[in-house]
Amino acid sequence: MKLNVEGIEQGKPVPDLFAFGVFHPEDRMSFGPNRNPEMSWEGAPEGTKSFVIMMFDPDVPSVADDANQEGKTVSKDIPRVDFFHWLLVDIPAKISRIPEGEDSDGVTPKGKDGGSGPVGLRGVNNFTQFLAGNPDMAGTYFGYDGPCPPWNDELLHHYHYEVHALDVESLGLSGEFDGEAVRNAMKGHVLASARVTGTYTLNPDLR
């Protein structure tokens, strides 16, 4: 399979257009346009019955106590974990393109709705946990929400945009399912996959 993520080149920075948080010279970070990029794919193998779209950042600090704290830095040497930004499952096999802005167009405080989105079934992204302590933003975040790494992180973050062709029409997921639930449900059903990886940082020393 071949995947194209419009506006994102392999190994190059993700444009601010697709980011939840963008660099601000005084406030460190401000909300970004938060549009999902257009994704299109081809070459799905015979027998494909549905697709899964997944975007995640494997470079998120496992301990976030120092994240976005003045006078502190997040060491590049601490362990990192996956942070899921976008989960769409049960995408019909006849679909091979998701237009820009179809699943997200701007930051939605307290999160977008779950259930069936414009394309496929939305899963829960990890902004649900990240913003849980913020009374203005806390909620359940379904669908796409883009990059927003800590502005004091010493590590450049990588964002994997993936499409997976499956041999089942549905993964049988519902409600507030997360990235690990999708990965577990996909086991044994993936016929082919494709990935494009971009980078992003809010740390002015890395930009």
Side-chain angles (χ1 to χ4, degrees), residues 12 28 52 60 67 76 86-87 89 102 110 118 126 128 131 142 145 152 165 183 192 201 206:
K12 299 293 182 64
R28 304 284 192 175
V52 165
V60 170
K76 64 180 184 299
W86 196 12
L87 298 165
V89 306
E102 183 84 351
K110 302 184 184 298
N126 285 120
T128 302
L131 296 172
F142 287 91
D145 285 299
N152 60 344
R183 283 178 171 169
T201 182
L206 299 179

Side-chain angles (χ1 to χ4, degrees), residues 118-137:
V119 180
L121 186 65
R122 286 172 166 165
V124 174
N125 69 55
N126 285 120
F127 279 99
T128 302
Q129 291 78 28
F130 182 70
L131 296 172
N134 184 330
D136 296 324
M137 297 295 292

Side-chain angles (χ1 to χ4, degrees), residues 7-160:
I8 300 177
E9 296 183 52
Q10 178 67 29
K12 299 293 182 64
V14 173
D16 285 355
L17 178 64
F18 307 132
F20 185 98
V22 296
F23 175 74
H24 190 285
E26 297 173 0
D27 298 333
R28 304 284 192 175
M29 186 277 287
S30 60
F31 288 142
N34 201 42
R35 289 172 66 84
N36 71 272
E38 176 180 314
M39 294 181 64
S40 59
W41 54 93
E42 59 186 8
E46 187 175 350
T48 297
K49 295 183 178 178
S50 72
F51 296 102
V52 165
I53 291 291
M54 180 182 293
M55 174 204 167
F56 66 98
D57 170 8
D59 299 318
V60 170
S62 56
V63 178
D65 295 352
D66 293 337
N68 300 325
Q69 299 296 312
E70 292 287 351
K72 297 182 178 181
T73 59
V74 177
S75 171
K76 64 180 184 299
D77 297 322
I78 69 171
R80 303 287 166 149
V81 296
D82 289 345
F83 185 110
F84 291 93
H85 285 263
W86 196 12
L87 298 165
L88 286 178
V89 306
D90 299 355
I91 300 170
K94 64 182 180 181
I95 292 176
S96 59
R97 174 179 171 268
I98 297 177
E100 179 186 309
E102 183 84 351
D103 196 59
S104 181
D105 186 11
V107 172
T108 303
K110 302 184 184 298
K112 292 182 283 294
D113 294 335
S116 296
V119 180
L121 186 65
R122 286 172 166 165
V124 174
N125 69 55
N126 285 120
F127 279 99
T128 302
Q129 291 78 28
F130 182 70
L131 296 172
N134 184 330
D136 296 324
M137 297 295 292
T140 304
Y141 284 74
F142 287 91
Y144 178 91
D145 285 299
C148 188
W151 50 257
N152 60 344
D153 199 337
E154 295 180 338
L155 190 68
L156 181 68
H157 285 228
H158 297 77
Y159 295 85
H160 300 314

